Amino acid sequence: MAVSKSNKKKLSYISVPSQIINSISSTSFESLLLYPKKKVQSSPFSSSKFRLLWKNSRFWLFLLLIFGFFGMLKMFFNADPLIPFAPNPCAILEEKSMVSNGFSSSQLSVVQNGEKIGGNDEESGDVKRNEFWKQPDGLGYRPCLEFSNEYKKASVDVVKDRTKYLMVVAAGGMNHEFSDIFDLEHFKKVLENDVRIVSSLPSTHVMTRPLEEKLTPLHATPEWIRSRYSRRIRRDGVLLLRSLDSRLAKDLPSDLQKLRCKVAFHALRFAPSILELGNKLTERMRSKGLYLALHLRMEKDLWVRTGCLPGLSHEYDEMINNERKQTPELLTSRSNMTYYERKLAGLCPLNALEVARLLKALGTPKTARIFWAGGNPLGGKEALQPITREFPNFYNKQDLALPGELEPFQKKASLMAAVDYIISENSDVFMPSHGGNMGHAIQGHRAYAGHKKTITPNKRQMFSHFMNSSLPEAEFNRIILGMHQDSLGQLELRSNKAGRDVTKYPLPECMCNKMQPHSSL
């Protein structure tokens, strides 16, 4: 409201949405503001009451408010309630213009269970791209943890025992802050018939100095552990073990393999606050259809530890080489191999350019929505440009979260990794750029859930083709696609190769199909 200095008349201003103004022609708009110059003939609708209403400014104010209200409703329901932000705001405007022209918002053609769903695909002529989202056939295999009677009987004695306690120190990854990341009470409840878990030693044992064992060999068998520690733990009551989590043999008796699956896939559940946020961001990612999750391993320390080079520029390569010379102990293994030899052996992480070329060769639609998990890559966002140029719908948890949602987790890398884990495990397609505990755990979870599509890059075979600059793109794509036909999350027996971890390959120990015997595989 404004007041004139000359006559102090009150003037009212009405804010009208631009959509309404643009939808009204100039003639009809003038008719709302000007009185008609010519008298019209009387009609049933030109009564004195109607003329009074016509001249009443309150009537027009009410009418404009109604128009404005419905205009705002239209704008509200056309808005996306789940994805609050996008890395590129212009992309939202372009997307909305596509919708107004009759295209779907995601522009994806999806094939699921052999049927096409979704909108128009700009690459509909390429059958491989339409089949990118197709899931492998799990042949009806589902979780199956049936323990033997002998195991059940032994577990009863273990749970009742109050004389012997084993203290385990688990190191690395998300194990650092166990009770902060995982639901501890759920963990105890699920395993209550297998082993008794306590958060602290009883008073009868608290003064006992636990015997500590640091020299557990690699691939320690149950027989070795019993022969080494049974007498000690009976004598002292408490035994402290370190590094056992990474040194236990992968090939264990059937009941112990089932127990490992029970721990990994049932007992370990993220804390409620992490689970809530992870599921919330998953729904935002899924709000416009299927999505691919990438676990990108491009951090500085990874390039140093693997003995590989990021390939960003000569300056970055020199930075990594110099740091490796100063701290040679960080190199994980095979220190006598050159970078080129490591790359050909499949020991190096994929860089952004290689990830983009692999995804294109596998038929990933250009409009695919991609969630990327992992730490900050060496080189920042510029290092990711080869991927974002090919696949612009590229998000991480910071892009999906509302202001303040990530704040409770910001200072704890393990909690942030847990959020990444949830969104990646829930994705329609998952691909890691390198190995590692998190990628292996997600792969196992997805297999246990019914063999959801997981792409395992065949780095050993494909790097020679990446380095062949004379190879035409069409031929490169054909070769890469062919070598990954059996690496898309299909059924794979752990027993086909010795030393495989059951939590990565849960078949056949932890999964079964009662309608179909294992031998049919």
Side-chain angles (χ1 to χ4, degrees):
M1 182 176 291
V3 179
S4 171
K5 293 182 179 179
S6 58
N7 53 18
K8 295 187 178 181
K9 290 182 178 180
K10 292 184 178 180
L11 303 177
S12 298
Y13 294 90
I14 303 173
S15 175
V16 183
S18 60
Q19 292 89 337
I20 299 176
I21 298 296
N22 294 334
S23 65
I24 304 176
S25 65
S26 59
T27 304
S28 59
F29 186 64
E30 289 175 1
S31 68
L32 294 177
L33 303 178
L34 302 177
Y35 296 116
K37 295 181 180 180
K38 297 181 180 180
K39 293 183 179 180
V40 295
Q41 293 181 352
S42 61
S43 67
F45 300 102
S46 58
S47 63
S48 59
K49 290 184 179 180
F50 184 82
R51 284 197 300 270
L52 290 174
L53 185 63
W54 179 267
K55 296 180 179 181
N56 193 328
S57 60
R58 293 184 179 179
F59 166 74
W60 290 110
L61 175 60
F62 175 75
L63 187 62
L64 286 173
L65 288 175
I66 290 296
F67 272 117
F69 174 72
F70 282 106
M72 285 186 289
L73 278 181
K74 181 177 183 296
M75 293 171 63
F76 175 79
F77 284 110
N78 282 343
D80 190 340
L82 294 175
I83 303 249
F85 305 106
N88 181 6
C90 297
I92 298 178
L93 299 177
E94 293 171 359
E95 197 170 84
K96 290 187 180 296
S97 67
M98 291 179 186
V99 176
S100 64
N101 289 331
F103 296 98
S104 69
S105 60
S106 63
Q107 290 279 289
L108 295 178
S109 288
V110 176
V111 174
Q112 191 173 33
N113 298 326
E115 297 182 2
K116 183 177 179 182
I117 61 175
N120 297 324
D121 193 336
E122 63 184 13
E123 301 174 74
S124 58
D126 192 339
V127 177
K128 297 190 299 296
R129 296 184 185 278
N130 290 338
E131 293 183 346
F132 177 78
W133 302 105
K134 190 174 182 179
Q135 297 294 320
D137 190 349
L139 298 180
Y141 278 84
R142 291 292 180 266
C144 184
L145 301 180
E146 297 180 0
F147 293 91
S148 67
N149 291 330
E150 182 182 359
Y151 171 86
K152 294 176 182 177
K153 183 179 179 181
S155 297
V156 171
D157 295 333
V158 170
V159 172
K160 289 181 178 179
D161 192 352
R162 298 292 188 274
T163 63
K164 297 183 288 293
Y165 292 87
L166 176 65
M167 298 177 65
V168 179
V169 178
M174 290 187 289
N175 296 316
H176 279 120
E177 302 146 333
F178 188 91
S179 60
D180 289 339
I181 298 175
F182 298 107
D183 188 333
L184 184 56
E185 294 307 313
H186 175 79
F187 184 79
K188 293 178 181 179
K189 180 70 176 177
V190 172
L191 299 176
E192 64 183 1
N193 294 326
D194 303 276
V195 63
R196 181 168 175 260
I197 302 171
V198 296
S199 300
S200 59
L201 291 174
S203 58
T204 54
H205 290 67
V206 73
M207 298 303 294
T208 303
R209 181 179 180 181
L211 176 67
E212 184 169 349
E213 176 60 61
K214 298 180 180 179
L215 302 177
T216 306
L218 284 173
H219 314 301
T221 64
E223 292 76 18
W224 185 92
I225 292 174
R226 279 195 292 267
S227 65
R228 178 87 173 182
Y229 301 127
S230 293
R231 182 180 299 177
R232 296 186 188 182
I233 197 169
R234 283 198 300 267
R235 182 191 66 197
D236 300 319
V238 181
L239 178 64
L240 173 62
L241 291 181
R242 296 181 184 272
S243 304
L244 187 64
D245 52 327
S246 60
R247 293 179 175 268
L248 188 63
K250 301 297 189 294
D251 298 312
L252 299 172
S254 177
D255 285 321
L256 292 182
Q257 296 288 52
K258 287 179 170 61
L259 180 59
R260 294 190 73 199
C261 289
K262 186 175 182 178
V263 171
F265 305 133
H266 296 276
L268 287 175
R269 186 173 71 184
F270 289 113
S273 59
I274 298 175
L275 199 60
E276 180 183 5
L277 179 60
N279 289 335
K280 189 180 296 183
L281 299 187
T282 294
E283 288 306 311
R284 291 175 190 166
M285 196 66 206
R286 193 179 295 286
S287 64
K288 292 188 178 179
L290 309 182
Y291 70 94
L292 159 71
L294 290 177
H295 185 213
L296 297 180
R297 304 297 310 281
M298 298 168 57
E299 303 93 332
K300 178 182 176 181
D301 69 306
L302 188 72
W303 296 116
V304 174
R305 289 189 291 105
T306 57
C308 302
L309 297 176
L312 297 172
S313 66
H314 176 72
E315 289 74 19
Y316 279 114
D317 288 349
E318 282 298 305
M319 177 197 303
I320 297 300
N321 277 327
N322 291 335
E323 187 156 341
R324 192 175 297 131
K325 290 176 183 177
Q326 295 172 6
T327 53
E329 68 276 6
L330 293 180
L331 192 60
T332 50
S333 62
R334 304 187 190 183
S335 57
N336 59 330
M337 295 178 67
T338 66
Y339 159 60
Y340 183 78
E341 290 171 336
R342 287 173 176 273
K343 204 167 183 68
L344 286 178
L347 300 175
C348 291
L350 296 174
N351 60 32
L353 179 59
E354 291 158 348
V355 169
R357 293 188 69 189
L358 175 58
L359 290 178
K360 286 183 64 179
L362 296 178
T364 311
K366 189 175 181 65
T367 50
R369 294 169 59 77
I370 298 177
F371 173 81
W372 72 275
N376 293 325
L378 178 66
K381 290 186 177 180
E382 291 183 4
L384 300 174
Q385 284 183 356
I387 303 178
T388 56
R389 279 197 297 264
E390 296 292 338
F391 306 99
N393 297 320
F394 196 68
Y395 310 90
N396 64 2
K397 53 186 172 294
Q398 284 81 5
D399 300 319
L400 299 174
L402 293 170
E405 280 186 320
L406 289 176
E407 188 173 345
F409 312 97
Q410 288 283 11
K411 295 182 180 180
K412 294 185 178 181
S414 295
L415 271 64
M416 296 286 274
V419 175
D420 276 342
Y421 189 105
I422 295 170
I423 306 172
S424 298
E425 198 279 320
N426 287 331
S427 66
D428 300 283
V429 180
F430 172 71
M431 188 183 88
S433 66
H434 193 53
N437 293 333
M438 180 167 166
H440 292 167
I442 292 175
Q443 178 179 334
H445 250 119
R446 295 172 67 82
Y448 196 71
H451 292 88
K452 296 162 67 177
K453 185 171 182 178
T454 300
I455 301 170
T456 305
N458 192 336
K459 296 187 292 183
R460 185 186 295 263
Q461 292 187 24
M462 71 184 183
F463 267 134
S464 59
H465 301 292
F466 276 123
M467 296 178 178
N468 186 356
S469 58
S470 63
L471 190 65
E473 184 178 5
E475 180 66 8
F476 172 85
N477 291 347
R478 185 190 66 80
I479 294 173
I480 298 300
L481 180 62
M483 71 174 55
H484 286 87
Q485 288 301 308
D486 297 326
S487 305
L488 303 177
Q490 298 95 332
L491 295 174
E492 192 169 358
L493 288 173
R494 189 198 71 85
S495 52
N496 282 350
K497 187 176 180 180
R500 285 181 168 179
D501 194 326
V502 72
T503 58
K504 184 180 179 183
Y505 300 96
L507 191 71
E509 288 94 341
C510 303
M511 302 183 74
C512 60
N513 183 344
K514 295 182 180 179
M515 302 298 294
Q516 186 173 355
H518 293 174
S519 58
S520 64
L521 290 175

